[in-house]
Amino acid sequence: QVHLVESGGGSVQAGASLRLSCTASGYATSSASMGWFRQAPGKEREGVAGINSIESITYADSVKGRFTISKDNANNTLYLQMNSLKPEDTALYYCAANTRGLQFRLLQSSSYIYWGQGTQVTVSS
């Protein structure tokens, strides 16, 4: 059974950094496509970053140059390093995974099957 558990969220001031983690179980991250999504109050969920099994990476324009996605396959963990945080980055951040086939539309929710419960990131100005 696949489980995704996010951690690392918190409340920080603008300009600070956070690193989110997503610990996966029930499958090997090395063979899966995985992504980070976020949803702010009153807004639709949006893709932030994704990485597939051949290490192809995609970022949303709003986070390019500030966020870095990576996988530690030895520990079955996905990370999102977030630097230079802005108030508009405030949202509930979700980890997602697809263990069935290679995905390339890594910022689309429909590319993923499994979802975590989310971790809150709040950035104050």
Short mmCIF file of all heavy atoms in Angstrom, two decimals, residues 56-124:
data_model
loop_
_atom_site.label_atom_id
_atom_site.label_comp_id
_atom_site.label_asym_id
_atom_site.label_seq_id
_atom_site.Cartn_x
_atom_site.Cartn_y
_atom_site.Cartn_z
N SER A 56 13.84 13.71 -15.17
CA SER A 56 13.39 14.91 -15.86
C SER A 56 12.62 15.76 -14.86
O SER A 56 11.77 15.25 -14.13
CB SER A 56 12.46 14.52 -17.03
OG SER A 56 11.95 15.67 -17.65
N ILE A 57 12.93 17.06 -14.82
CA ILE A 57 12.38 17.95 -13.80
C ILE A 57 11.64 19.11 -14.46
O ILE A 57 12.10 19.65 -15.47
CB ILE A 57 13.50 18.48 -12.88
CG1 ILE A 57 14.05 17.35 -12.02
CG2 ILE A 57 13.00 19.63 -12.01
CD1 ILE A 57 15.25 17.76 -11.17
N THR A 58 10.52 19.48 -13.85
CA THR A 58 9.74 20.62 -14.32
C THR A 58 9.39 21.50 -13.13
O THR A 58 9.06 20.98 -12.06
CB THR A 58 8.44 20.15 -15.00
OG1 THR A 58 8.77 19.26 -16.08
CG2 THR A 58 7.66 21.32 -15.55
N TYR A 59 9.45 22.81 -13.32
CA TYR A 59 9.07 23.77 -12.28
C TYR A 59 7.99 24.71 -12.82
O TYR A 59 7.99 25.07 -13.99
CB TYR A 59 10.27 24.62 -11.85
CG TYR A 59 11.35 23.88 -11.13
CD1 TYR A 59 12.53 23.51 -11.79
CD2 TYR A 59 11.21 23.54 -9.78
CE1 TYR A 59 13.53 22.83 -11.12
CE2 TYR A 59 12.22 22.85 -9.12
CZ TYR A 59 13.37 22.50 -9.79
OH TYR A 59 14.36 21.82 -9.13
N ALA A 60 7.15 25.15 -11.93
CA ALA A 60 6.23 26.23 -12.26
C ALA A 60 7.04 27.50 -12.41
O ALA A 60 8.05 27.70 -11.72
CB ALA A 60 5.19 26.39 -11.16
N ASP A 61 6.61 28.37 -13.30
CA ASP A 61 7.34 29.62 -13.54
C ASP A 61 7.48 30.44 -12.26
O ASP A 61 8.50 31.11 -12.05
CB ASP A 61 6.63 30.46 -14.60
CG ASP A 61 6.78 29.87 -15.99
OD1 ASP A 61 7.66 29.02 -16.20
OD2 ASP A 61 6.00 30.26 -16.88
N SER A 62 6.49 30.36 -11.40
CA SER A 62 6.48 31.19 -10.19
C SER A 62 7.55 30.78 -9.18
O SER A 62 7.85 31.56 -8.26
CB SER A 62 5.10 31.11 -9.53
OG SER A 62 4.77 29.77 -9.21
N VAL A 63 8.13 29.59 -9.33
CA VAL A 63 9.13 29.14 -8.35
C VAL A 63 10.50 28.88 -8.96
O VAL A 63 11.45 28.56 -8.24
CB VAL A 63 8.65 27.88 -7.61
CG1 VAL A 63 7.27 28.12 -6.99
CG2 VAL A 63 8.64 26.66 -8.53
N LYS A 64 10.61 29.03 -10.28
CA LYS A 64 11.89 28.77 -10.94
C LYS A 64 12.98 29.66 -10.35
O LYS A 64 12.78 30.87 -10.16
CB LYS A 64 11.78 29.03 -12.45
CG LYS A 64 11.17 27.89 -13.22
CD LYS A 64 11.10 28.20 -14.70
CE LYS A 64 10.43 27.08 -15.46
NZ LYS A 64 10.27 27.41 -16.91
N GLY A 65 14.13 29.05 -10.07
CA GLY A 65 15.24 29.80 -9.51
C GLY A 65 15.20 29.92 -8.00
O GLY A 65 16.18 30.34 -7.37
N ARG A 66 14.07 29.56 -7.38
CA ARG A 66 13.94 29.65 -5.92
C ARG A 66 13.75 28.28 -5.28
O ARG A 66 14.23 28.05 -4.18
CB ARG A 66 12.76 30.53 -5.55
CG ARG A 66 12.87 31.96 -6.05
CD ARG A 66 11.76 32.85 -5.45
NE ARG A 66 10.43 32.40 -5.84
CZ ARG A 66 9.47 32.09 -4.97
NH1 ARG A 66 9.71 32.17 -3.66
NH2 ARG A 66 8.28 31.71 -5.39
N PHE A 67 13.03 27.39 -5.96
CA PHE A 67 12.73 26.07 -5.41
C PHE A 67 13.53 25.01 -6.17
O PHE A 67 13.77 25.14 -7.37
CB PHE A 67 11.25 25.75 -5.56
CG PHE A 67 10.32 26.55 -4.68
CD1 PHE A 67 10.75 27.66 -3.98
CD2 PHE A 67 9.00 26.17 -4.56
CE1 PHE A 67 9.89 28.39 -3.18
CE2 PHE A 67 8.11 26.88 -3.76
CZ PHE A 67 8.57 28.00 -3.08
N THR A 68 13.90 23.95 -5.44
CA THR A 68 14.62 22.83 -6.04
C THR A 68 14.00 21.52 -5.57
O THR A 68 13.89 21.30 -4.36
CB THR A 68 16.10 22.85 -5.66
OG1 THR A 68 16.70 24.08 -6.08
CG2 THR A 68 16.84 21.70 -6.35
N ILE A 69 13.61 20.69 -6.51
CA ILE A 69 13.06 19.38 -6.18
C ILE A 69 14.16 18.34 -6.34
O ILE A 69 15.01 18.44 -7.24
CB ILE A 69 11.85 19.04 -7.08
CG1 ILE A 69 11.16 17.76 -6.60
CG2 ILE A 69 12.26 18.91 -8.54
CD1 ILE A 69 9.83 17.48 -7.32
N SER A 70 14.16 17.35 -5.45
CA SER A 70 15.15 16.28 -5.54
C SER A 70 14.60 15.02 -4.90
O SER A 70 13.66 15.07 -4.11
CB SER A 70 16.46 16.70 -4.86
OG SER A 70 16.26 16.93 -3.49
N LYS A 71 15.20 13.91 -5.27
CA LYS A 71 14.79 12.62 -4.71
C LYS A 71 16.01 11.94 -4.09
O LYS A 71 17.08 11.94 -4.68
CB LYS A 71 14.23 11.70 -5.81
CG LYS A 71 12.79 11.89 -6.13
CD LYS A 71 12.21 10.72 -6.93
CE LYS A 71 12.81 10.56 -8.28
NZ LYS A 71 12.30 9.38 -9.01
N ASP A 72 15.82 11.35 -2.92
CA ASP A 72 16.83 10.49 -2.31
C ASP A 72 16.26 9.08 -2.40
O ASP A 72 15.50 8.65 -1.53
CB ASP A 72 17.06 10.91 -0.86
CG ASP A 72 18.08 10.04 -0.17
OD1 ASP A 72 18.46 8.99 -0.73
OD2 ASP A 72 18.50 10.40 0.95
N ASN A 73 16.63 8.39 -3.45
CA ASN A 73 16.04 7.07 -3.68
C ASN A 73 16.50 6.04 -2.64
O ASN A 73 15.77 5.09 -2.35
CB ASN A 73 16.37 6.58 -5.08
CG ASN A 73 15.70 7.42 -6.15
OD1 ASN A 73 14.57 7.89 -5.97
ND2 ASN A 73 16.37 7.61 -7.28
N ALA A 74 17.65 6.25 -2.07
CA ALA A 74 18.13 5.32 -1.04
C ALA A 74 17.24 5.36 0.19
O ALA A 74 17.06 4.35 0.88
CB ALA A 74 19.56 5.65 -0.66
N ASN A 75 16.67 6.55 0.45
CA ASN A 75 15.79 6.72 1.61
C ASN A 75 14.33 6.88 1.23
O ASN A 75 13.50 7.20 2.09
CB ASN A 75 16.25 7.93 2.42
CG ASN A 75 17.57 7.67 3.12
OD1 ASN A 75 17.68 6.75 3.92
ND2 ASN A 75 18.57 8.46 2.80
N ASN A 76 14.04 6.68 -0.05
CA ASN A 76 12.65 6.76 -0.54
C ASN A 76 11.97 8.07 -0.15
O ASN A 76 10.83 8.09 0.32
CB ASN A 76 11.83 5.58 0.00
CG ASN A 76 11.31 4.70 -1.13
OD1 ASN A 76 11.98 4.53 -2.14
ND2 ASN A 76 10.11 4.17 -0.96
N THR A 77 12.70 9.15 -0.33
CA THR A 77 12.21 10.46 0.11
C THR A 77 12.33 11.49 -1.01
O THR A 77 13.32 11.53 -1.72
CB THR A 77 12.98 10.95 1.34
OG1 THR A 77 12.85 9.99 2.38
CG2 THR A 77 12.45 12.29 1.82
N LEU A 78 11.30 12.30 -1.13
CA LEU A 78 11.27 13.43 -2.06
C LEU A 78 11.43 14.71 -1.26
O LEU A 78 10.88 14.83 -0.17
CB LEU A 78 9.93 13.45 -2.80
CG LEU A 78 9.70 14.57 -3.80
CD1 LEU A 78 10.53 14.34 -5.06
CD2 LEU A 78 8.22 14.70 -4.14
N TYR A 79 12.19 15.66 -1.80
CA TYR A 79 12.42 16.92 -1.12
C TYR A 79 11.99 18.10 -1.99
O TYR A 79 11.95 18.01 -3.22
CB TYR A 79 13.91 17.10 -0.79
CG TYR A 79 14.45 16.07 0.17
CD1 TYR A 79 15.23 15.02 -0.30
CD2 TYR A 79 14.18 16.16 1.53
CE1 TYR A 79 15.75 14.07 0.57
CE2 TYR A 79 14.69 15.20 2.41
CZ TYR A 79 15.47 14.17 1.92
OH TYR A 79 15.96 13.23 2.78
N LEU A 80 11.69 19.20 -1.32
CA LEU A 80 11.49 20.47 -2.01
C LEU A 80 12.21 21.53 -1.18
O LEU A 80 11.78 21.89 -0.09
CB LEU A 80 10.02 20.82 -2.15
CG LEU A 80 9.75 22.10 -2.96
CD1 LEU A 80 10.12 21.88 -4.43
CD2 LEU A 80 8.28 22.53 -2.85
N GLN A 81 13.34 21.98 -1.70
CA GLN A 81 14.08 23.07 -1.06
C GLN A 81 13.50 24.38 -1.55
O GLN A 81 13.48 24.64 -2.76
CB GLN A 81 15.57 22.98 -1.41
CG GLN A 81 16.41 24.11 -0.83
CD GLN A 81 16.47 24.07 0.69
OE1 GLN A 81 16.65 23.00 1.28
NE2 GLN A 81 16.35 25.22 1.32
N MET A 82 13.03 25.20 -0.62
CA MET A 82 12.38 26.45 -0.97
C MET A 82 13.18 27.60 -0.39
O MET A 82 13.31 27.73 0.84
CB MET A 82 10.95 26.48 -0.43
CG MET A 82 10.11 25.29 -0.85
SD MET A 82 8.38 25.43 -0.35
CE MET A 82 8.54 25.38 1.42
N ASN A 83 13.74 28.42 -1.26
CA ASN A 83 14.54 29.58 -0.85
C ASN A 83 13.82 30.87 -1.25
O ASN A 83 12.92 30.86 -2.09
CB ASN A 83 15.90 29.53 -1.51
CG ASN A 83 16.71 28.31 -1.11
OD1 ASN A 83 16.58 27.81 0.02
ND2 ASN A 83 17.55 27.83 -2.01
N SER A 84 14.24 31.95 -0.64
CA SER A 84 13.67 33.28 -0.96
C SER A 84 12.15 33.24 -0.95
O SER A 84 11.49 33.70 -1.89
CB SER A 84 14.18 33.76 -2.32
OG SER A 84 15.59 33.81 -2.35
N LEU A 85 11.59 32.70 0.11
CA LEU A 85 10.14 32.54 0.18
C LEU A 85 9.43 33.89 0.18
O LEU A 85 9.93 34.89 0.73
CB LEU A 85 9.77 31.74 1.42
CG LEU A 85 10.00 30.23 1.29
CD1 LEU A 85 10.04 29.56 2.65
CD2 LEU A 85 8.92 29.61 0.42
N LYS A 86 8.27 33.89 -0.45
CA LYS A 86 7.45 35.09 -0.56
C LYS A 86 6.09 34.83 0.08
O LYS A 86 5.66 33.67 0.17
CB LYS A 86 7.24 35.43 -2.04
CG LYS A 86 8.51 35.61 -2.84
CD LYS A 86 8.18 35.85 -4.31
CE LYS A 86 9.45 36.01 -5.13
NZ LYS A 86 9.15 36.24 -6.57
N PRO A 87 5.39 35.87 0.50
CA PRO A 87 4.05 35.67 1.07
C PRO A 87 3.12 34.89 0.15
O PRO A 87 2.29 34.11 0.61
CB PRO A 87 3.56 37.10 1.31
CG PRO A 87 4.82 37.87 1.56
CD PRO A 87 5.84 37.27 0.63
N GLU A 88 3.28 35.08 -1.16
CA GLU A 88 2.43 34.36 -2.11
C GLU A 88 2.74 32.87 -2.20
O GLU A 88 2.02 32.13 -2.88
CB GLU A 88 2.50 35.00 -3.51
CG GLU A 88 3.91 35.21 -4.02
CD GLU A 88 4.39 36.64 -3.79
OE1 GLU A 88 4.19 37.16 -2.67
OE2 GLU A 88 5.01 37.20 -4.72
N ASP A 89 3.79 32.41 -1.53
CA ASP A 89 4.07 30.98 -1.46
C ASP A 89 3.26 30.30 -0.35
O ASP A 89 3.30 29.07 -0.22
CB ASP A 89 5.56 30.74 -1.20
CG ASP A 89 6.45 31.19 -2.35
OD1 ASP A 89 6.06 30.96 -3.52
OD2 ASP A 89 7.51 31.78 -2.07
N THR A 90 2.55 31.09 0.44
CA THR A 90 1.74 30.53 1.53
C THR A 90 0.68 29.60 0.97
O THR A 90 -0.12 29.99 0.10
CB THR A 90 1.08 31.67 2.33
OG1 THR A 90 2.10 32.43 2.97
CG2 THR A 90 0.13 31.11 3.37
N ALA A 91 0.67 28.36 1.46
CA ALA A 91 -0.27 27.36 0.96
C ALA A 91 -0.08 26.06 1.73
O ALA A 91 0.90 25.90 2.47
CB ALA A 91 -0.05 27.11 -0.53
N LEU A 92 -1.00 25.15 1.50
CA LEU A 92 -0.84 23.77 1.95
C LEU A 92 -0.12 23.03 0.83
O LEU A 92 -0.59 23.04 -0.31
CB LEU A 92 -2.19 23.15 2.23
CG LEU A 92 -2.21 21.76 2.87
CD1 LEU A 92 -1.53 21.79 4.24
CD2 LEU A 92 -3.66 21.27 3.01
N TYR A 93 1.01 22.43 1.14
CA TYR A 93 1.84 21.78 0.14
C TYR A 93 1.64 20.26 0.21
O TYR A 93 1.72 19.66 1.28
CB TYR A 93 3.31 22.11 0.36
CG TYR A 93 3.68 23.48 -0.14
CD1 TYR A 93 3.23 24.62 0.52
CD2 TYR A 93 4.45 23.65 -1.28
CE1 TYR A 93 3.55 25.90 0.06
CE2 TYR A 93 4.79 24.92 -1.75
CZ TYR A 93 4.32 26.04 -1.07
OH TYR A 93 4.64 27.29 -1.55
N TYR A 94 1.39 19.68 -0.96
CA TYR A 94 1.13 18.25 -1.07
C TYR A 94 2.21 17.56 -1.90
O TYR A 94 2.70 18.11 -2.87
CB TYR A 94 -0.21 18.00 -1.78
CG TYR A 94 -1.42 18.53 -1.08
CD1 TYR A 94 -1.91 19.80 -1.35
CD2 TYR A 94 -2.11 17.73 -0.17
CE1 TYR A 94 -3.04 20.28 -0.73
CE2 TYR A 94 -3.25 18.21 0.47
CZ TYR A 94 -3.70 19.49 0.18
OH TYR A 94 -4.83 19.95 0.81
N CYS A 95 2.48 16.33 -1.52
CA CYS A 95 3.33 15.45 -2.28
C CYS A 95 2.44 14.49 -3.06
O CYS A 95 1.39 14.07 -2.56
CB CYS A 95 4.22 14.68 -1.30
SG CYS A 95 5.20 13.37 -2.00
N ALA A 96 2.84 14.15 -4.28
CA ALA A 96 2.05 13.25 -5.10
C ALA A 96 2.97 12.27 -5.82
O ALA A 96 4.14 12.58 -6.08
CB ALA A 96 1.22 14.03 -6.12
N ALA A 97 2.41 11.11 -6.19
CA ALA A 97 3.23 10.09 -6.85
C ALA A 97 2.41 9.30 -7.86
O ALA A 97 1.19 9.15 -7.71
CB ALA A 97 3.82 9.14 -5.82
N ASN A 98 3.10 8.84 -8.88
CA ASN A 98 2.51 7.91 -9.84
C ASN A 98 3.52 6.80 -10.06
O ASN A 98 4.64 7.05 -10.52
CB ASN A 98 2.19 8.63 -11.16
CG ASN A 98 1.41 7.74 -12.11
OD1 ASN A 98 1.59 6.53 -12.13
ND2 ASN A 98 0.55 8.34 -12.90
N THR A 99 3.13 5.59 -9.71
CA THR A 99 4.03 4.45 -9.81
C THR A 99 3.82 3.64 -11.09
O THR A 99 4.46 2.62 -11.28
CB THR A 99 3.82 3.53 -8.61
OG1 THR A 99 2.47 3.06 -8.63
CG2 THR A 99 4.07 4.26 -7.30
N ARG A 100 2.93 4.12 -11.95
CA ARG A 100 2.55 3.36 -13.15
C ARG A 100 2.96 4.10 -14.41
O ARG A 100 2.24 4.97 -14.89
CB ARG A 100 1.05 3.12 -13.15
CG ARG A 100 0.54 2.45 -11.90
CD ARG A 100 -0.96 2.41 -11.83
NE ARG A 100 -1.43 1.96 -10.53
CZ ARG A 100 -2.70 1.97 -10.16
NH1 ARG A 100 -3.63 2.37 -11.00
NH2 ARG A 100 -3.04 1.55 -8.96
N GLY A 101 4.14 3.82 -14.91
CA GLY A 101 4.55 4.41 -16.17
C GLY A 101 5.21 5.77 -16.01
O GLY A 101 5.03 6.47 -15.02
N LEU A 102 5.95 6.13 -17.04
CA LEU A 102 6.71 7.38 -17.04
C LEU A 102 5.80 8.56 -17.35
O LEU A 102 5.05 8.55 -18.32
CB LEU A 102 7.81 7.27 -18.11
CG LEU A 102 8.83 8.40 -18.19
CD1 LEU A 102 9.60 8.51 -16.90
CD2 LEU A 102 9.76 8.16 -19.36
N GLN A 103 5.87 9.57 -16.52
CA GLN A 103 5.05 10.76 -16.68
C GLN A 103 5.92 11.94 -17.10
O GLN A 103 7.06 12.07 -16.66
CB GLN A 103 4.33 11.09 -15.37
CG GLN A 103 3.49 9.96 -14.81
CD GLN A 103 2.34 9.60 -15.73
OE1 GLN A 103 1.67 10.46 -16.29
NE2 GLN A 103 2.10 8.30 -15.89
N PHE A 104 5.35 12.81 -17.92
CA PHE A 104 6.08 14.01 -18.35
C PHE A 104 5.32 15.29 -18.02
O PHE A 104 5.92 16.34 -17.89
CB PHE A 104 6.36 13.95 -19.85
CG PHE A 104 7.41 12.94 -20.21
CD1 PHE A 104 7.05 11.69 -20.67
CD2 PHE A 104 8.75 13.23 -20.07
CE1 PHE A 104 8.00 10.74 -20.99
CE2 PHE A 104 9.72 12.30 -20.38
CZ PHE A 104 9.35 11.05 -20.84
N ARG A 105 4.01 15.19 -17.88
CA ARG A 105 3.22 16.37 -17.51
C ARG A 105 3.21 16.48 -15.99
O ARG A 105 2.19 16.21 -15.33
CB ARG A 105 1.83 16.27 -18.10
CG ARG A 105 1.84 16.26 -19.61
CD ARG A 105 0.46 16.12 -20.20
NE ARG A 105 0.51 16.13 -21.66
CZ ARG A 105 -0.55 16.00 -22.45
NH1 ARG A 105 -1.74 15.86 -21.91
NH2 ARG A 105 -0.40 16.01 -23.75
N LEU A 106 4.33 16.84 -15.46
CA LEU A 106 4.60 16.70 -14.04
C LEU A 106 3.93 17.75 -13.17
O LEU A 106 3.94 17.64 -11.96
CB LEU A 106 6.11 16.70 -13.79
CG LEU A 106 6.84 15.55 -14.46
CD1 LEU A 106 8.35 15.75 -14.37
CD2 LEU A 106 6.44 14.21 -13.84
N LEU A 107 3.35 18.78 -13.78
CA LEU A 107 2.67 19.82 -13.01
C LEU A 107 1.15 19.66 -13.08
O LEU A 107 0.43 20.52 -12.57
CB LEU A 107 3.08 21.20 -13.51
CG LEU A 107 4.56 21.54 -13.40
CD1 LEU A 107 4.82 22.98 -13.84
CD2 LEU A 107 5.07 21.32 -11.98
N GLN A 108 0.69 18.59 -13.70
CA GLN A 108 -0.74 18.36 -13.80
C GLN A 108 -1.19 17.34 -12.75
O GLN A 108 -0.61 16.26 -12.63
CB GLN A 108 -1.10 17.85 -15.20
CG GLN A 108 -0.88 18.88 -16.28
CD GLN A 108 -1.39 18.43 -17.63
OE1 GLN A 108 -2.02 17.38 -17.75
NE2 GLN A 108 -1.14 19.21 -18.66
N SER A 109 -2.25 17.66 -12.03
CA SER A 109 -2.77 16.77 -10.99
C SER A 109 -3.15 15.42 -11.56
O SER A 109 -2.98 14.38 -10.90
CB SER A 109 -3.99 17.40 -10.33
OG SER A 109 -3.67 18.60 -9.70
N SER A 110 -3.64 15.41 -12.79
CA SER A 110 -4.11 14.17 -13.40
C SER A 110 -2.99 13.18 -13.68
O SER A 110 -3.25 12.02 -13.98
CB SER A 110 -4.87 14.48 -14.70
OG SER A 110 -4.02 15.19 -15.60
N SER A 111 -1.74 13.62 -13.57
CA SER A 111 -0.60 12.72 -13.80
C SER A 111 -0.30 11.86 -12.58
O SER A 111 0.55 10.98 -12.66
CB SER A 111 0.65 13.54 -14.16
OG SER A 111 0.48 14.20 -15.39
N TYR A 112 -0.98 12.12 -11.47
CA TYR A 112 -0.65 11.44 -10.22
C TYR A 112 -1.81 10.63 -9.68
O TYR A 112 -2.98 10.96 -9.90
CB TYR A 112 -0.18 12.47 -9.18
CG TYR A 112 1.07 13.19 -9.64
CD1 TYR A 112 0.98 14.39 -10.32
CD2 TYR A 112 2.32 12.64 -9.41
CE1 TYR A 112 2.11 15.04 -10.77
CE2 TYR A 112 3.46 13.28 -9.85
CZ TYR A 112 3.36 14.48 -10.53
OH TYR A 112 4.48 15.11 -10.98
N ILE A 113 -1.45 9.56 -8.98
CA ILE A 113 -2.44 8.65 -8.42
C ILE A 113 -2.54 8.80 -6.91
O ILE A 113 -3.63 8.75 -6.34
CB ILE A 113 -2.07 7.19 -8.76
CG1 ILE A 113 -1.98 6.99 -10.28
CG2 ILE A 113 -3.08 6.22 -8.15
CD1 ILE A 113 -1.40 5.67 -10.68
N TYR A 114 -1.39 8.95 -6.26
CA TYR A 114 -1.35 8.93 -4.80
C TYR A 114 -0.98 10.33 -4.28
O TYR A 114 -0.14 11.02 -4.86
CB TYR A 114 -0.31 7.92 -4.32
CG TYR A 114 -0.56 6.53 -4.85
CD1 TYR A 114 0.20 6.03 -5.90
CD2 TYR A 114 -1.56 5.73 -4.31
CE1 TYR A 114 -0.03 4.75 -6.40
CE2 TYR A 114 -1.81 4.47 -4.80
CZ TYR A 114 -1.04 3.98 -5.85
OH TYR A 114 -1.28 2.72 -6.34
N TRP A 115 -1.59 10.67 -3.14
CA TRP A 115 -1.41 12.00 -2.55
C TRP A 115 -1.19 11.90 -1.06
O TRP A 115 -1.77 11.03 -0.38
CB TRP A 115 -2.64 12.87 -2.82
CG TRP A 115 -2.84 13.16 -4.27
CD1 TRP A 115 -3.45 12.35 -5.19
CD2 TRP A 115 -2.41 14.31 -4.97
NE1 TRP A 115 -3.41 12.94 -6.43
CE2 TRP A 115 -2.78 14.15 -6.32
CE3 TRP A 115 -1.74 15.49 -4.60
CZ2 TRP A 115 -2.51 15.12 -7.30
CZ3 TRP A 115 -1.48 16.44 -5.56
CH2 TRP A 115 -1.86 16.26 -6.90
N GLY A 116 -0.35 12.80 -0.55
CA GLY A 116 -0.19 12.92 0.88
C GLY A 116 -1.25 13.83 1.48
O GLY A 116 -2.11 14.35 0.76
N GLN A 117 -1.14 14.04 2.78
CA GLN A 117 -2.13 14.86 3.50
C GLN A 117 -1.78 16.34 3.50
O GLN A 117 -2.64 17.18 3.81
CB GLN A 117 -2.27 14.37 4.93
CG GLN A 117 -2.87 12.98 5.03
CD GLN A 117 -4.26 12.92 4.44
OE1 GLN A 117 -5.14 13.70 4.80
NE2 GLN A 117 -4.47 12.00 3.51
N GLY A 118 -0.54 16.66 3.20
CA GLY A 118 -0.14 18.05 3.09
C GLY A 118 0.59 18.58 4.32
O GLY A 118 0.42 18.06 5.43
N THR A 119 1.39 19.61 4.10
CA THR A 119 2.07 20.32 5.18
C THR A 119 1.95 21.81 4.91
O THR A 119 2.11 22.25 3.78
CB THR A 119 3.55 19.87 5.28
OG1 THR A 119 4.16 20.49 6.41
CG2 THR A 119 4.35 20.22 4.03
N GLN A 120 1.64 22.56 5.94
CA GLN A 120 1.33 23.99 5.78
C GLN A 120 2.60 24.83 5.75
O GLN A 120 3.49 24.67 6.61
CB GLN A 120 0.42 24.47 6.91
CG GLN A 120 0.08 25.94 6.84
CD GLN A 120 -0.81 26.29 5.66
OE1 GLN A 120 -1.69 25.53 5.29
NE2 GLN A 120 -0.57 27.46 5.05
N VAL A 121 2.67 25.71 4.79
CA VAL A 121 3.74 26.70 4.71
C VAL A 121 3.10 28.09 4.76
O VAL A 121 2.21 28.40 3.95
CB VAL A 121 4.55 26.55 3.41
CG1 VAL A 121 5.54 27.70 3.26
CG2 VAL A 121 5.28 25.21 3.40
N THR A 122 3.54 28.89 5.72
CA THR A 122 3.03 30.24 5.87
C THR A 122 4.19 31.21 5.85
O THR A 122 5.13 31.07 6.64
CB THR A 122 2.24 30.40 7.17
OG1 THR A 122 1.18 29.45 7.20
CG2 THR A 122 1.67 31.81 7.30
N VAL A 123 4.14 32.17 4.94
CA VAL A 123 5.21 33.16 4.80
C VAL A 123 4.64 34.54 5.08
O VAL A 123 3.70 34.99 4.40
CB VAL A 123 5.82 33.12 3.39
CG1 VAL A 123 7.02 34.06 3.31
CG2 VAL A 123 6.24 31.70 3.02
N SER A 124 5.19 35.20 6.05
CA SER A 124 4.71 36.54 6.42
C SER A 124 5.66 37.60 5.88
O SER A 124 6.86 37.37 5.74
CB SER A 124 4.58 36.66 7.93
OG SER A 124 5.81 36.40 8.55
#
